[in-house]
Amino acid sequence: MTTEWLKATGLALGLALGEALCCTPGEIISLANADAIRHGAKQKRTIKTFDEFLALE
């Protein structure tokens, strides 16, 4: 993940250039994930406990 990828992704998601440059990488990735889910991608599981992590296959 590069600065250019983050900037291009932010712009593709409808952010202004200033917004894309001021957002943290985590915010842009969260926006990209939400956009992917909105367009039909399956939501990944959220692991909240260590026991859930150990139960993964």
Side-chain angles (χ1 to χ4, degrees):
M1 169 181 1
T2 64
T3 305
E4 291 301 318
W5 182 87
L6 292 168
K7 185 171 71 172
T9 303
L11 293 173
L13 293 171
L15 297 176
L17 180 59
E19 292 173 323
L21 294 175
C22 291
C23 285
T24 63
E27 291 172 332
I28 293 178
I29 291 171
S30 292
L31 287 172
N33 289 338
D35 191 54
I37 291 169
R38 188 173 31 251
H39 285 92
K42 292 186 179 181
Q43 187 171 1
K44 293 183 179 180
R45 288 187 279 172
T46 302
I47 300 169
K48 296 181 182 177
T49 66
F50 187 69
D51 290 332
E52 289 177 2
F53 172 75
L54 293 175
L56 291 175
E57 295 178 1

